[in-house]
Amino acid sequence: MDILFLTLPLALILALIFIGIFIYSVKLGQYDDLDTPSYKMLLDDEKDKTKNELKGKDL
Amino acid sequence: MASQSHCEHCHEKIIIPVFLSDEESDIVFCCEGCKTVYEILQEKNLTDYYRLREQTAQTNPTAVKISGQKYKYLDDPEFKQKYTIISNQTLQITFYLENIHCLACLWLIEKLPEINHEVLNSKLNMSKSTVDITLLEDAKISQIAQQLESLGYPPHPIMEEKELKEHKIKEDHKDLIRIAIAFFSTGNIMLMAFAVYAGATGHIEKYFNWISLFLFFPIIFYCAIPFYRNAFSSLKNKLISIDLPIVIALLFGGTFSLFSVLNDDTHIYFDSLSMLIFLLLTSRFLLKKSQQKGLEASELSNFFTHLIAYKVEDDQTLKEVNAKFLLPNDIIYIYPGDTIPADAQVIQGTSKVNNSLLTGEVIPQPIQAGEYIFSGTINLDQELTAKVIHTGQDSKLGQILSAVEHGWNQKTKIVSLTDQIAKYFVLGVFLLSFFVFSYFIFQGRIEDAFIRTLTLVIITCPCALGLTTPLTLTISLAKLAKKGIIIKNELVLEMTNKIKNIIFDKTGTLTHGKFQVIKWESLDRSNYFNVIYQLESKSQHPIAKSITDYLKAYYLDEIKQSLELTHYTETPGIGPSGTVHNDFYELNQIKAEINSNTLIGLYKNHMLVTKIHLSDSLKPDAYNIIKKLKNLNYNIYLLSGDNKLSVQKVASDLEILPQNTFYEQSPQDKQEFIKKTPNSMMLGDGANDAIALSFADIGVAIHGSVDISLRASSVFMATKDLQNILRLLISGKETLHIIKRNLIFSLLYNSLGLILAIQGYIDPLAAAIIMPLSSFTVLASTLIGTKKLRQNLS
């Protein structure tokens, strides 16, 4: 039982870190639009495609 | 690839094919608009759009209609000052975009910087259909607006009240942070509490209880602030809301537990109370979010109407300005087919005006010099020159709109069922605690008196009661929104159960609101479909459009054949004429028929050969819907601004009782009628219904509403489907049913807890079981109940 003496406060500290990160991300505006990102994740990444590659593929 | 008879871009059936200009290919379009989009996408290497759309869109896009608007007014310094935010040599503007419907739209809009290099960034909000665009400071906004339109998304600038917007975002942030902290505290308090329940004793128990106490501070001092605020503000208005018993339980429970910690006692309720706050905060946030879908009323009032006016300058040239910038005594020039931008007096010209927006009348009214024309109505036949008399707020339309606002403010607030119950609940709990307390005091058991009364107050905290209503409403609202019924005030759903009278507007609500061919009478046994099509397709007149639409829909093969038409002329106010195979044809309106239909005649060498009957016909499902509503024992009324004959015809077609039918009603008449008809639901689409809509217990604006501000009414139907009326009423009934069932559940739990508390059986462990259990029962009941709702809706 004595281990609780250590683990529960540890859990508390961990949770404190997470809540700090969450508040930070809220303030950054990450949760301002909750609908659009749900569509965006369906889009493929295009970063590695250069414009020329695109041209060759689609035309 | 689309088949040949379908448009490459919008997949609609092709009537007159438009080919790509430079290459031989089998790609065809239904119109120039669609072709333009296709070409832009090809040029900018954005053809991924089609692939994305194929994968994700459920509905086909609409054909691109180019209005030819130049959006020049967007470059006016006055406009820029009001509608944009300038910082760091960039300019920010927000547009509401039409036709946003799928992922591919999102993708394309966010690619805007690749299409126009003056655009630095563009961010689309799918649920609101708004886009925030950042531009170089000296960029031409008109050009971007034109580009958006040519992509098929006509833009409407929205004025952002910066402070209001920032305030709203801050509120949202605070809500989220409150929920997060409540979750954090609840989670950790429960860990501690579990350890104690599981048998932690001695110094461990003490240590954990102290940590719980500190974790409870943010709950009571920060997370619960909205509850204090609501309870206090309703008390100030001499009302009792559900928040009051919650606050009482929280404060009493908190203090009681605090003393228990200090005195090494076991009555510690931090876990139950914090869990309760967390659940309530979450459910309220979800409800708030589901109501914020779509544009809000405050945003709508700043909606920049697209009304273009042509101002006659001193040197007799025409200047394109936005109607908002017109001033009294300006001279304006109005083209046929244009919406009249301000209340004005005609100086020169004769024409016909469609007043249906203001009066509901479908038949055009003749107008000549000296007479008055009103903002929002449509000039049909010929050019008019007029002097502006009233603009904006002072115009007839503006007055109607401010009356609408007045109506909203005046309306008595609906008290939700939960708040009604809360009143008796608080009273009941107060009386009971008083009796329990006095009983034990008389028996001389002072400690018991305190402990049992306090546990009574805590255990009867109506958490499930507070939880159930927001959750049920959130789910119902979301489901209705999917069907195109957008509800701005969640209490409307409860209100639907009190409705006894349903009042319909005629034009645009029960009918299509525009002329349609209802009968085609051939007098010499041959059809002249193609001749008529060729003549009418060149005309801009609304009747011509109705006839060509009809021909396209039913006689597509005939009108596809080529036909040589020569000597085409259109005499304004009379009709088009031309020569085919040496026969002279003309189309004229045949005057003075007894019934309310409009009659067009085709003359071949001055002999009448075909008669076309046109009328504003009923929507196909109107009859069935009215019948179903009557079977459900609603009283049906028809209230229209149109003339006696047309209104009576519609009433008899729909079997609406003559004593329930009213014609030639002005907007004020309609308002009076609503005021003296209690428990009413009004459905309408025109500005002439707007005041009545705002005064009705439930005002429903139907799709096609001419003025966008009607969308601010408590219910807006985004589809033309009249079936949605039934959906709204049925789901209102079922939602209330679910809420009631949940109320019974939660009251049962509370009574159980109450009995146990009086007898002294309630300790923190029992509370920790009973309180969440009741919440979860209610949650399950809500989810099961609303599942049924979805089946009924489809």
Side-chain angles (χ1 to χ4, degrees), chain B residues 41-222:
Chain B
L41 296 183
Q42 288 290 344
E43 191 194 321
K44 305 282 180 191
N45 286 321
L46 297 174
T47 40
D48 268 1
Y49 170 79
Y50 293 109
R51 188 176 52 79
L52 280 170
R53 198 178 68 187
E54 209 93 318
Q55 288 166 359
T56 56
Q58 280 135 6
T59 51
N60 277 333
T62 45
V64 179
K65 289 195 189 80
I66 302 227
S67 65
Q69 269 234 44
K70 292 280 179 274
Y71 295 97
K72 282 221 177 89
Y73 62 87
L74 292 179
D75 297 328
D76 282 351
E78 201 174 343
F79 173 84
K80 271 195 183 174
Q81 195 198 337
K82 273 188 181 164
Y83 281 80
T84 62
I85 300 165
I86 299 173
S87 63
N88 293 336
Q89 293 173 347
T90 62
L91 209 110
Q92 229 190 1
I93 182 161
T94 307
F95 287 112
Y96 169 82
L97 299 180
E98 291 177 34
N99 301 336
I100 292 286
H101 67 286
C102 70
L103 175 63
C105 300
L106 169 71
W107 182 82
L108 186 58
I109 293 296
E110 307 224 324
K111 283 275 180 291
L112 212 56
E114 289 182 23
I115 297 175
N116 185 327
H117 295 293
E118 288 180 323
V119 178
L120 298 174
N121 186 13
S122 78
K123 224 174 156 206
L124 183 77
N125 182 325
M126 288 285 282
S127 54
K128 288 188 173 182
S129 292
T130 56
V131 61
D132 290 316
I133 295 181
T134 317
L135 302 160
L136 294 172
E137 196 183 351
D138 50 357
K140 277 209 165 10
I141 306 177
S142 61
Q143 209 184 343
I144 286 131
Q146 276 176 49
Q147 258 157 357
L148 282 168
E149 188 182 294
S150 64
L151 289 174
Y153 310 106
H156 303 264
I158 295 177
M159 180 154 68
E160 300 246 42
E161 287 197 20
K162 210 178 160 193
E163 281 153 32
L164 193 75
K165 194 183 172 190
E166 277 172 5
H167 176 75
K168 250 189 229 150
I169 290 178
K170 264 193 193 143
E171 280 292 302
D172 271 2
H173 286 179
K174 270 188 199 159
D175 282 349
L176 277 172
I177 292 172
R178 276 202 182 99
I179 292 174
I181 290 180
F183 184 59
F184 157 78
S185 291
T186 309
N188 283 292
I189 289 175
M190 278 172 85
L191 279 181
M192 312 285 164
F194 255 83
V196 174
Y197 293 145
T201 45
H203 63 287
I204 298 188
E205 184 189 2
K206 204 173 173 187
Y207 164 68
F208 283 167
N209 283 343
W210 274 95
I211 296 182
S212 297
L213 172 66
F214 282 108
L215 284 172
F216 191 65
F217 283 144
I219 296 261
I220 204 160
F221 291 120
Y222 180 67

Side-chain angles (χ1 to χ4, degrees), chain B residues 266-283:
Chain B
T266 52
H267 289 282
I268 296 168
Y269 293 93
F270 294 137
D271 53 337
S272 306
L273 291 169
S274 53
M275 157 100 112
L276 156 75
I277 295 297
F278 166 65
L279 287 177
L280 284 171
L281 279 173
T282 312
S283 68

Side-chain angles (χ1 to χ4, degrees), chain A residues 1-2 4-5 8-9 11-12 15-16 19 22-23 26-27 29 31-33 35-36 39-40 42-44 46 49 54-55 58-59, chain B residues 42 45 47-48 52 103 106-107 110-111 124-127 169 173 176-177 180-181 184 188 191-192 195 200 203-204 207-208 215 293:
Chain A
M1 196 56 114
D2 281 341
L4 285 177
F5 221 67
L8 290 192
L12 188 68
L16 260 176
I19 202 154
F22 180 78
I23 292 173
V26 166
K27 292 243 157 109
Y31 299 90
D32 289 352
D33 178 1
D35 295 290
T36 317
Y39 291 91
K40 267 190 191 162
L42 293 170
L43 291 172
D44 294 332
E46 288 172 51
K49 280 196 221 169
L54 257 174
K55 219 178 217 169
D58 289 307
L59 289 179
Chain B
Q42 288 290 344
N45 286 321
T47 40
D48 268 1
L52 280 170
L103 175 63
L106 169 71
W107 182 82
E110 307 224 324
K111 283 275 180 291
L124 183 77
N125 182 325
M126 288 285 282
S127 54
I169 290 178
H173 286 179
L176 277 172
I177 292 172
I181 290 180
F184 157 78
N188 283 292
L191 279 181
M192 312 285 164
H203 63 287
I204 298 188
Y207 164 68
F208 283 167
L215 284 172
K293 294 244 157 91

Side-chain angles (χ1 to χ4, degrees), chain B residues 496 499-502 629-630 632-636 729 733:
Chain B
T496 49
I499 295 299
K500 290 197 181 70
N501 304 304
I502 301 181
L629 289 174
K630 274 198 276 191
L632 293 169
N633 283 326
Y634 291 107
N635 300 321
I636 308 291
L729 290 168
K733 273 215 168 80

Side-chain angles (χ1 to χ4, degrees), chain B residues 7 23 34 125 139 184 249 324 358 402 539 587 618 636 715 725:
Chain B
C7 174
E23 51 189 293
C34 288
N125 182 325
F184 157 78
K324 274 214 170 162
L358 287 179
S402 52
S539 168
L587 277 166
L618 286 171
I636 308 291
V715 182
I725 301 167

